[in-house]
Amino acid sequence: MGTTPFGLEINFQNGLVSTPNVITERRLSQVRRVYRDQAAVDRILSDEGDRLVYQVYGADLPEDEGQVLYCTTIIQPGTVGGEYHMTKGHYHARRDRGEVYLGLAGEGMLLLMLEDGTLRSIPMHPGTAAHIPPYWAHRTVNTGNVPFVFFSAWPGDAGHDYGTIEDTGFADLVVEAHGKPALIPNPRFPRKP
Ligand code: PAN
Ligand code: ZN
């Protein structure tokens, strides 16, 4: 029978959702493995504590075929060992499920990757509606000086596979070079000879 219709209010500036019932907070200690420079992670943890990297605000909806799930993500500005703050990133457990991202505030980059390592990047700013096709892993990066906020909507039965990306990362890293984002090859990513 599905669910009861409802509307939530989203603040486009800060990404807050009225009466969200699912809030995820990702602090540096929880997402440390996404960064290349583990010594830099240790330094930040001991010098300034466990900084907030990103939050996700969503609605508690059933993860069923036919439902459309949605949330906002707020990535705080900052770098770790030269890499910009980023989400963990994932494939959908059902690889044939896509997604839509809409930029609301701040500046970011969407990284997309196929399982053979083919990589694409899409700059995101307020108003950018990005299409994530089926089969593409996706990660977002805050490349600006203020929180990067975006909205996502995806099929209820997509599921999330974090393990594959946790093991290898994406094929490229997004680093700050002369104050601007640059993509450089990730030495940890397995490349075919
Ligand atoms: C997004 C992401 C969200 C957080 O809603 O889940 O931005 O990123 P991670 O899930 O990689 O930590 C999405 O892609 N949902 O499918
Ligand atoms: Zn997704």
Side-chain angles (χ1 to χ4, degrees):
M1 269 309 165
T3 36
T4 309
F6 62 87
L8 297 178
E9 302 302 318
I10 294 176
N11 180 320
F12 284 11
Q13 291 313 306
N14 59 22
L16 295 184
V17 175
S18 63
T19 60
N21 35 32
V22 184
I23 304 176
T24 308
E25 259 194 15
R26 299 284 185 213
R27 292 190 173 269
L28 182 59
S29 65
Q30 299 168 295
V31 293
R32 60 174 301 153
R33 288 188 63 201
V34 302
Y35 297 101
R36 164 190 53 177
D37 187 346
Q38 291 297 300
V41 173
D42 287 332
R43 270 196 307 277
I44 293 167
L45 289 175
S46 71
D47 292 355
E48 66 173 77
D50 202 3
R51 68 160 77 143
L52 179 64
V53 180
Y54 65 100
Q55 295 142 294
V56 179
Y57 289 82
D60 187 17
L61 290 167
E63 299 194 0
D64 294 340
E65 183 181 0
Q67 294 282 359
V68 179
L69 310 184
Y70 66 90
C71 70
T72 58
T73 303
I74 302 115
I75 308 179
Q76 299 302 319
T79 56
V80 177
E83 284 183 272
Y84 292 101
H85 282 178
M86 63 182 109
T87 58
K88 284 166 62 169
H90 56 267
Y91 289 96
H92 289 154
R94 288 201 59 162
R95 294 287 196 273
D96 60 351
R97 297 301 195 245
E99 185 157 356
V100 174
Y101 280 6
L102 176 64
L104 302 180
E107 300 291 325
M109 189 182 283
L110 168 60
L111 276 187
L112 301 126
M113 187 178 72
L114 289 173
E115 271 177 283
D116 67 1
T118 304
L119 196 90
R120 292 284 182 279
S121 64
I122 298 177
M124 299 272 307
H125 49 262
T128 308
H131 169 58
I132 299 170
Y135 302 103
W136 290 80
H138 37 288
R139 159 178 285 166
T140 40
V141 180
N142 184 343
T143 54
N145 302 319
V146 296
F148 169 49
V149 181
F150 63 96
F151 175 87
S152 340
W154 67 98
D157 61 352
H160 293 90
D161 166 12
Y162 289 100
T164 308
I165 292 298
E166 247 164 41
D167 290 344
T168 63
F170 276 66
D172 280 3
L173 308 177
V174 187
V175 296
E176 183 175 21
H178 310 292
K180 285 199 295 211
L183 293 172
I184 60 167
N186 174 8
R188 194 157 62 95
F189 190 79
R191 277 162 218 281
K192 297 205 181 79

